[in-house]
Amino acid sequence: MTKAIVLVAGIGATLSLASAEPVQIEATVMPKEEVRLDFADGSKRFVQLLNREGEATGSGPLDGTTVAEYGMHDIVPGVGGDANGYLVFTAGEGDIAYVKWLLRAVFVPGPEGKPSLLNSGLWEVIGGTGQFEGLNGAGRLHIEFPSQTDRVFVLEGEMLSAAEE
């Protein structure tokens, strides 16, 4: 019985050491390439395929990496939209973390009758190389709009690197 208790206690200690850590990353990206389809049916709907690039800062293993967005945005101005894609985080050594994301946006009445955008989504780590191999994580996503073209992907959640398992 004592061996069983020691074994269970040892497993519990191992599991507690492998707990995910809270992270918050802000990935500021600027446009590099765009393909756009504007609907000619009067709906003002458009679809964009975007490649944006920039830098990531914050807490956790993705801090200090470069980031590229590969995204598809389906938008009806003044109504709402859906967006999804991948963020590719690259460390100075060439190690890569792949993050899949999806987002829903809704326009609501704002100040002076202008529409205000609310958006919320999810993200998850789906793969990695080098130091990011075995990285796990997921959380909430919000996108901020500091300019007409630049975006800030705000990822909040938890991550666990393979080295911590």
Side-chain angles (χ1 to χ4, degrees):
M1 177 106 108
T2 305
K3 288 182 184 179
I5 292 170
V6 171
L7 179 60
V8 170
I11 291 172
T14 302
L15 292 176
S16 67
L17 291 176
S19 63
E21 296 293 325
V23 295
Q24 180 170 347
I25 294 291
E26 292 188 5
T28 303
V29 292
M30 285 86 31
K32 293 297 178 188
E33 296 179 77
E34 173 187 334
V35 175
R36 182 174 167 138
L37 166 65
D38 288 296
F39 286 57
D41 60 2
S43 67
K44 298 184 182 176
R45 177 184 296 268
F46 64 92
V47 174
Q48 286 179 302
L49 301 176
L50 290 164
N51 173 227
R52 296 183 179 119
E53 295 179 353
E55 304 289 326
T57 60
S59 63
L62 302 179
D63 176 43
T65 58
T66 61
V67 62
E69 173 206 357
Y70 296 89
M72 197 278 295
H73 303 255
D74 183 359
I75 308 295
V76 180
V79 177
D82 297 293
N84 63 75
Y86 296 88
L87 296 171
V88 179
F89 295 87
T90 305
E93 306 79 32
D95 300 337
I96 297 171
Y98 297 99
V99 172
K100 184 176 183 175
W101 61 271
L102 61 94
L103 181 108
R104 175 71 182 144
V106 177
F107 289 91
V108 298
E112 302 176 16
K114 294 182 181 180
S116 181
L117 179 64
L118 303 176
N119 69 77
S120 185
L122 303 170
W123 63 268
E124 70 174 305
V125 176
I126 60 163
T129 67
Q131 68 180 326
F132 300 126
E133 186 174 344
L135 182 67
N136 288 294
R140 296 170 308 282
L141 168 71
H142 174 76
I143 298 179
E144 297 175 355
F145 302 81
S147 75
Q148 189 73 7
T149 58
D150 298 353
R151 300 293 179 265
V152 178
F153 284 75
V154 180
L155 290 77
E156 295 178 325
E158 296 183 48
M159 282 189 182
L160 175 68
S161 69
E164 296 171 344
E165 292 181 353

